[in-house]
Amino acid sequence: MDAKIEVDGAGRRSAANACTEPCAIERGMRIIGGKWTGSILWHVKDGPVRFNDLARMIGGASKKMITERLRQLEYQGLVRREVCETAPITVVYEITDFGRTALGFLDELRKWSEGLPKALTAE
């Protein structure tokens, strides 16, 4: 739905076709837009990854934050969690087929970000 602003004869402005519920972009961002979410999906794309290895790959994120995001992604069906019966017990995470559907635009985001001016990417 394309919302736009209309002006009546008296100069009053109103929204036409206003969203009454979250639009597709907002719904997608609610799923994938959380901090570290895209990074986690990107790092599990090539196969199962052990939790501690994933935590090492994502510098700057606490283990608690990674755990929260992984639980969310598992609940949403984007990653699969597997407990391996090894000594000691290990947990690995793997992207699902549904999670793979996000990789195309994550790769486009990566390419776009790599082309940004340095001034925009400075923290």
Side-chain angles (χ1 to χ4, degrees), residues 5-98:
I5 300 298
E6 294 180 345
V7 181
D8 66 13
R12 291 181 297 242
R13 301 167 70 86
S14 63
N17 296 326
C19 297
T20 56
E21 58 186 51
C23 68
I25 297 289
E26 187 176 338
R27 286 193 321 265
M29 290 303 293
R30 286 181 181 182
I31 294 171
I32 208 87
K35 191 168 186 180
W36 307 114
T37 302
S39 294
I40 290 170
L41 282 176
W42 192 256
H43 287 297
V44 298
K45 71 180 174 32
D46 295 325
V49 178
R50 294 171 62 171
F51 176 81
N52 284 328
D53 291 339
L54 183 60
R56 287 181 188 100
M57 286 189 259
I58 302 176
S62 68
K63 287 186 176 185
K64 179 182 178 207
M65 179 58 71
I66 293 170
T67 298
E68 288 176 17
R69 291 295 177 253
L70 283 167
R71 285 181 184 153
Q72 178 185 24
L73 289 167
E74 183 181 13
Y75 174 77
Q76 293 166 330
L78 296 165
V79 299
R80 178 179 313 108
R81 177 181 187 264
E82 182 181 343
V83 177
C84 301
E85 298 297 327
T86 59
I89 292 177
T90 58
V91 177
V92 296
Y93 292 88
E94 185 173 16
I95 196 166
T96 64
D97 289 339
F98 177 53

